[in-house]
């Protein structure tokens, strides 16, 4: 159902792979290659056998031939129980972001007002310097 929602009588936009490609296509053109190369699966469904491989193949088939598509399942996989569960990664990421806001320099954030005044291009350029 993730790739063909119509199989279970759900009106769809074409499945998870099409949603990923559509979301990346809505990004500024200069960021699309980076986005395609850094698709991360999080949540309980990320544990489904073969999901990563299938999503990577489907997105690659819908992308330019020169694009490098990489899909990873979030979690460090070292088996120590700290970050291994993709179902907890989104929560952990939100927690870490909130913690960083307490101590991070002002320059790493873009306020809502700045975003509306300067637009998405400013945001892309702003965060590029942290990568």
């Amino acid at each position: 159902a993730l790739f063909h929602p119509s199989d279970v009588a759900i009106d769809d936009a074409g499945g998870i792979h099409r949603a990923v490609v559509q979301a990346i296509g809505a990004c500024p053109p200069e960021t699309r290659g980076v986005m395609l190369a850094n698709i991360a699966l999080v949540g309980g469904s990320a544990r489904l056998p073969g999901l990563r491989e299938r999503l990577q193949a489907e997105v690659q088939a819908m992308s330019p031939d020169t694009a490098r598509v990489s899909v990873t399942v979030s979690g460090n996989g070292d088996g120590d129980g700290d970050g291994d569960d993709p179902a907890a990664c989104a929560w952990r990421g939100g927690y870490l972001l909130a913690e960083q806001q307490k101590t991070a320099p002002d320059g790493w954030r873009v306020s809502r007002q700045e975003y509306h005044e300067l637009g998405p291009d400013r945001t892309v350029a702003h965060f590029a310097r942290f990568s």
Side-chain angles (χ1 to χ4, degrees), residues 77-120:
D78 64 7
D80 69 1
D82 179 28
D84 293 325
D85 184 3
C89 284
W91 291 102
R92 188 172 300 105
Y95 168 79
L96 292 172
L97 181 62
E99 286 297 308
Q100 287 178 353
Q101 286 186 7
K102 295 176 185 174
T103 60
D106 289 333
W108 83 275
R109 296 186 298 261
V110 174
S111 71
R112 180 182 177 99
Q113 181 179 351
E114 286 176 303
Y115 179 83
H116 286 294
E117 288 175 5
L118 303 172

Side-chain angles (χ1 to χ4, degrees), residues 44-65:
S45 296
R47 292 184 260 175
L48 292 171
L51 178 61
R52 186 196 68 76
E53 294 83 1
R54 171 85 183 269
L55 182 59
Q56 184 163 325
E58 296 282 352
V59 171
Q60 185 69 63
M62 295 178 68
S63 301
D65 291 339

